[in-house]
Amino acid sequence: MHYKTQIEAARQGILTDQIKLVAKKENRPAEWIREGVANGTIAIPANVHHQSLSAEGIGDGLKTKINVNLGISGDAKNYDLEMNKVKMAVKMGAESIMDLSNYGKTHEFREKLIDYSPAMIGTVPMYDAIGYLEKDLLKMTADDFLRVVEAHAKEGVDFMTIHAGINRRAIEGFKRSGRRMNIVSRGGSLLFAWMEMTGNENPFFEHYDDVLEILHEHDAVISIGDSLRPGCLDDSTDAGQIGELIEIGYLTERAWKAGVQVLVEGPGHMAIDEIAANMKLQKRLCHNAPFYVLGPLVTDIAPGYDHITSAIGGAIAASNGANFLCYVTPAEHLRLPNLDDVRDGIIAAKIAAHAADIANKLPGARDQDNRMADARQKLDWNAMFKEAMDPEKARRYYESVPLAQKHTCSMCGKMCAVRTTNKILSGEKVVFCDENGKCD
């Protein structure tokens, strides 16, 4: 049998090495994973050129995955810092890293990133186009855009955000909607500007078959970007967002037909009471393709704390159908994140993902929580640190205050509820004062 992509192999009944690895990681039968890949509800981004990859599955019935954004900008050109962020993301267990570099020649950085990273790698070729081609936006042609997609595919990028859904029909809906924030997608805004300046159709939509042919050749996944995602609460679930989503559903089916795996990208900023309905709407319109969301951020007024607003929305989204969370750092809307921001963003996204996995009752999702509860019941601090999502921070906090009472923490000391209950259940007395009546 001949196949070039994971979805083609799955349709032929073949258990690829990547399918077997995902099954092992997910505590699922390999045949169950294969069926999900075959029908498109599971995607395994695994470019044939990414030799260091440890494959992960994204989709229904699997653990919620998280993505870490990083990359060079015109105002922050420290490649060593960005590589340190990569190493931190890998160490902390992020399953995906997106290189969003948009300045200069990024090929060398991306080459090192793909060579090093066991996490899947994503890009947005539109961001790289101006630097890669050394052309201004207005002078670019459809062929130019396709050249950048092909270059990223050849380098080993596992999935690419392609903003193919913002076609002429979607733009008409956007213009009618009278948005408060207009377009906040960087790639979407660039394509919108190019279309308006040239009068042409979106090249990724007009030449979609050519895009799919490139991705198919290297088994790269298309992540269909949501150019019209809401950038504030007031723009969520409007005609622009839903109109583009309808186009994305059409493009999803075309990609599957061409033997290309699909991720679908979603909002954005959104009030809590709209999230569940949006997840179900996406699954319906996009035929249960894996859903990748940025947040959603549940309020617009917390710059400096948007990792929290994102984690709240992400947990709700992933417990209602989203499969893949893009982390948001405290620096969102303010600056390129530093290492501390990246750490905080990863932890917030991991909390959201794990909380959703528990709510979705995935196999083994509560095991670590149960081990933590057992360690706390025994007041076994080393075991607690081992189970903590961020062991270094947990230990640092615990050890930051000298303790008068062994095994307790500085919050309760001798009055620790667990200590008190353990003593009573073991037949001991609970004593707080010495024989002279001195009480600590």
Side-chain angles (χ1 to χ4, degrees), residues 241 245 266-268 270 274-286 288-289 291-296 313-325:
Q241 178 196 334
L245 192 61
M270 184 166 288
E274 294 182 41
I275 295 174
N278 266 262
M279 300 306 107
K280 289 175 172 55
L281 184 62
Q282 183 277 336
K283 290 288 184 175
R284 181 72 176 89
L285 293 177
C286 297
N288 294 309
F291 199 23
Y292 176 25
V293 295
L294 179 66
I316 297 169
S319 61
N320 283 280
N323 311 107
F324 192 19
L325 303 181

Side-chain angles (χ1 to χ4, degrees), residues 50-71:
H50 188 175
Q51 299 302 310
S52 61
L53 177 70
S54 179
E56 297 282 355
I58 303 169
D60 292 343
L62 305 184
K63 298 170 190 171
T64 307
K65 307 305 185 299
I66 72 162
N67 171 71
V68 170
N69 286 343
L70 45 82

Side-chain angles (χ1 to χ4, degrees), residues 127-138:
Y127 293 179
D128 192 31
I130 293 173
Y132 178 84
L133 299 170
E134 295 184 329
K135 277 187 177 182
D136 208 350
L137 185 62
L138 183 58

Side-chain angles (χ1 to χ4, degrees), residues 308-322:
I308 298 173
T309 68
S310 172
I312 294 168
I316 297 169
S319 61
N320 283 280

Side-chain angles (χ1 to χ4, degrees), residues 29-46:
E31 179 61 22
W32 188 89
I33 300 293
R34 184 201 65 76
E35 289 178 1
V37 175
N39 63 34
T41 59
I42 293 174
I44 302 178

Side-chain angles (χ1 to χ4, degrees), residues 124 126-127 163 166 183-192 227:
V124 186
M126 189 70 203
Y127 293 179
H163 298 88
I166 184 170
I183 297 175
V184 299
S185 160
R186 190 192 313 172
S189 68
L190 292 171
L191 274 172
F192 172 72
S227 302

